[in-house]
Amino acid sequence: MEWGQVHALLGENGAGKSTLMNVVYGLIRADSGEMQFDGAQVQVHSPQDAIGLGIGMVHQHFMLIPPLTVADNVILGQETARAAGVIDGRASRRTVNELSRRYGLQVDPDARVRDLSVGVQQRVEILKALYRGARLLILDEPTSVLTPQETEGLFQIVRGLTAEGSAVIFITHKLGEVMAIADRITVMRRGKVVASTTPAESSQADLARLMVGRPVLLRVEKGPAQPGRPLLQVDGLSVLDDRRQVAVDGLSLEVRAGEILGLAGVEGNGQVELVEAIAGLRPARSGRVMLCDHEVTAASPRRRLRAGLGHIPADRHRMGVILELPISDNLVLGDFDRPPFARGIVRLLAQVRDHAARLIKSFDVRAAGPQQLAGALSGGNQQKVVVARELSNGPRVLMAAQPTRGVDVGSIEFIHRQIVEQRDAGLAVLLVSSELDEVLSLADRVAVIYRGRIAAVLQAGEIDRDRIGLLMAGGQADQVPAASEGAL
């Protein structure tokens, strides 16, 4: 790659992208081969070596200390000291402010990291690398937890860095982002480089085929829905957020058997609180939740699961998988104490392993076997474990929150196909996604949420991007023009 260039490293989850860059950054020792940097052969045995060369890395899971301030996090390990070894906090804040202004990274140096949004925390990580003199910045899956607005802000920062002569390696599996930001693209598959190209020379379909090794459907194929009776009903639900403010405000919706209801909205408009309230993870202030004709407003999460609710959580690490347990145990988290996986207080481990082996094969989980720890899987394969568990439990209602966040294009195709097949078998699906393309592709109806309320529910013939976008921004239903000819 060249200075002043954004080089995208593209590949499926588990293709080896992050591993390769961890070698470049000195976190992993290479078994063979050599590395050249800025025209000279170099040896990188540790992150200190990489930093000394001017290589910085922002990891997918940030490495910040939440109780400390932005300035403290940025200078940690390279503090400026006054006489008698006292840290010069004023100089540190001044340096952070200067870097923030220079690169368009608006961050309050005195803010506590724990109080910042994910997008601003990422800026802090970038500031840390720049403070240490990074000329080559490696961004590992940088948009996997960002909103669309935060993603565009990151792109502006990246363009500013390359305009100053720095180089950026952008690790991703999102084809649209590659086409928007990259100057050059390297595609990896199963640990090997299979292509080097540019956005001008390749289409998204070309890149998807190179990543997966076969043609990939970038838009899910599905027939019209055949909706039945309502299986999930939310009536006048109000829910408070963590600051005791109203996040869901008298919201009502219903999801019918055999349909996918997409919930579209800018993140922070009550989606998280709504999903947690339906799942029983957050109490409702008022209103009620009906699941398969039974009220479950005050029921425990376990009772809701037993009543027919499947839940793919938005944060797989916090609520989806237990990283320290093997795949086999993660696949029976809700039923580990019930037949056929247990007899009384005795767990039947052979049945658990056999069940896991079947699901690993059916859901194409790339793993060494049922006993591999979930934490050793790539993000996309962890997500497949979550999807496999929830769908194999035979739910009648599936609540899928960000079901393909951080997942590569091949796995997205697979997960979408599984959801549509379950819909066709009579499952009621509530799809909550910050990816508008995903909602447009999958949903049979779309409910737009704004400030904790349903702004409008659009039927199949009314769904199009501009109409939904205006409603997401707070436009009134009677002010939004009718769907265009491109409606789904």
Side-chain angles (χ1 to χ4, degrees):
M1 64 179 300
E2 301 174 1
W3 295 113
Q5 183 183 78
V6 179
H7 196 117
L9 189 58
L10 184 65
E12 288 187 280
N13 295 114
K17 309 182 299 295
S18 296
T19 301
L20 176 61
M21 289 301 103
N22 282 333
V23 170
V24 172
Y25 191 59
L27 289 170
I28 297 176
R29 184 74 63 89
D31 296 313
S32 61
E34 63 181 39
M35 186 172 99
Q36 290 192 352
F37 180 71
D38 206 12
Q41 186 171 332
V42 296
Q43 298 287 331
V44 180
H45 300 301
S46 68
Q48 286 74 23
D49 292 341
I51 291 167
L53 290 169
I55 301 172
M57 186 168 182
V58 176
H59 300 271
Q60 184 175 3
H61 302 292
F62 304 149
M63 298 186 179
L64 301 171
I65 301 176
L68 297 185
T69 67
V70 168
D72 289 339
N73 271 276
V74 169
I75 68 170
L76 190 63
Q78 295 196 357
E79 296 88 348
T80 302
R82 297 199 303 265
V86 178
I87 295 175
D88 189 344
R90 185 177 299 173
S92 300
R93 289 193 294 275
R94 186 167 58 248
T95 302
V96 172
N97 272 324
E98 289 171 357
L99 284 171
S100 296
R101 285 194 297 269
R102 179 177 174 183
Y103 294 104
L105 292 156
Q106 292 80 17
V107 182
D108 178 4
D110 295 318
R112 301 280 174 183
V113 165
R114 67 187 172 206
D115 299 325
L116 303 178
S117 70
V118 173
V120 178
Q121 288 184 33
Q122 186 178 70
R123 294 181 180 184
V124 178
E125 285 279 24
I126 295 173
L127 279 172
K128 275 176 57 179
L130 297 175
Y131 180 80
R132 286 156 177 75
R135 297 180 295 147
L136 169 62
L137 186 64
I138 303 168
L139 302 178
D140 188 4
E141 301 285 0
T143 65
S144 61
V145 293
L146 300 186
T147 66
Q149 292 84 354
E150 289 171 333
T151 296
E152 183 53 43
L154 174 65
F155 286 178
Q156 292 176 10
I157 292 165
V158 168
R159 294 183 185 109
L161 290 169
T162 54
E164 292 251 345
S166 298
V168 176
I169 296 178
F170 199 96
I171 305 173
T172 187
H173 54 254
K174 296 186 178 181
L175 301 176
E177 293 176 0
V178 168
M179 302 300 283
I181 195 65
D183 299 302
R184 186 143 201 93
I185 305 164
T186 293
V187 184
M188 292 184 67
R189 186 169 71 241
R190 297 185 182 272
K192 296 181 179 180
V193 172
V194 296
S196 180
T197 183
T198 67
E201 297 170 334
S202 303
S203 66
Q204 291 193 36
D206 294 333
L207 295 174
R209 177 179 52 78
L210 289 167
M211 285 172 58
V212 181
R214 59 173 175 80
V216 176
L217 291 173
L218 298 179
R219 192 172 184 84
V220 66
E221 290 185 344
K222 66 184 182 75
Q226 303 294 329
R229 66 185 184 87
L231 294 181
L232 174 66
Q233 296 167 287
V234 177
D235 184 20
L237 194 69
S238 293
V239 185
L240 302 181
D241 62 17
D242 294 336
R243 297 172 299 168
R244 311 299 297 170
Q245 302 297 312
V246 176
V248 179
D249 188 8
L251 183 146
S252 299
L253 58 78
E254 67 175 27
V255 190
R256 299 171 292 187
E259 76 162 355
I260 300 172
L261 175 67
L263 188 68
V266 178
E267 286 198 16
N269 277 274
Q271 298 96 314
V272 171
E273 291 79 7
L274 173 63
V275 167
E276 291 182 354
I278 294 174
L281 300 171
R282 182 181 294 267
R285 186 187 189 191
S286 61
R288 66 175 187 164
V289 178
M290 300 288 293
L291 180 63
C292 303
D293 297 327
H294 295 94
E295 183 169 352
V296 295
T297 312
S300 67
R302 172 171 286 239
R303 185 183 154 202
R304 298 180 199 221
L305 295 177
R306 298 279 165 88
L309 179 66
H311 178 205
I312 300 174
D315 187 339
R316 57 176 170 264
H317 282 176
R318 190 166 67 91
M319 294 196 299
V321 294
I322 300 176
L323 299 176
E324 297 79 12
L325 291 183
I327 297 169
S328 56
D329 286 341
N330 272 282
L331 287 169
V332 295
L333 286 180
D335 296 308
F336 70 93
D337 58 344
R338 304 174 70 192
F341 308 121
R343 185 182 298 119
I345 63 172
V346 179
R347 293 192 66 206
L348 304 178
L349 299 181
Q351 282 85 334
V352 173
R353 285 194 297 271
D354 290 345
H355 174 72
R358 287 193 299 273
L359 291 183
I360 286 171
K361 183 177 180 180
S362 299
F363 285 81
D364 191 31
V365 179
R366 308 286 175 84
Q371 295 310 110
Q372 183 173 350
L373 296 182
L377 298 176
S378 67
N381 284 300
Q382 290 173 3
Q383 189 72 2
K384 285 184 180 179
V385 169
V386 176
V387 173
R389 180 184 66 230
E390 297 306 311
L391 292 184
S392 67
N393 287 337
R396 300 183 66 189
V397 176
L398 176 67
M399 188 163 55
Q402 318 296 345
T404 59
R405 173 173 280 172
V407 174
D408 63 68
V409 65
S411 298
I412 289 172
E413 178 196 35
F414 180 85
I415 291 171
H416 284 178
R417 189 166 65 244
Q418 293 293 320
I419 291 174
V420 170
E421 287 177 2
Q422 293 293 323
R423 178 208 73 165
D424 292 342
L427 188 70
V429 180
L430 175 61
L431 171 69
V432 183
S433 177
S434 60
E435 299 283 350
L436 187 52
D437 286 337
E438 183 167 51
V439 173
L440 291 170
S441 179
L442 282 178
D444 303 304
R445 293 188 298 137
V446 175
V448 181
I449 188 170
Y450 179 71
R451 294 186 177 177
R453 298 181 178 183
I454 298 298
V457 178
L458 306 181
Q459 307 298 322
E462 303 172 314
I463 301 172
D464 78 345
R465 181 180 298 275
D466 292 341
R467 188 174 175 83
I468 293 174
L470 286 169
L471 288 165
M472 287 169 60
Q476 299 299 312
D478 57 2
Q479 297 173 339
V480 178
S484 65
E485 294 179 0
L488 297 176

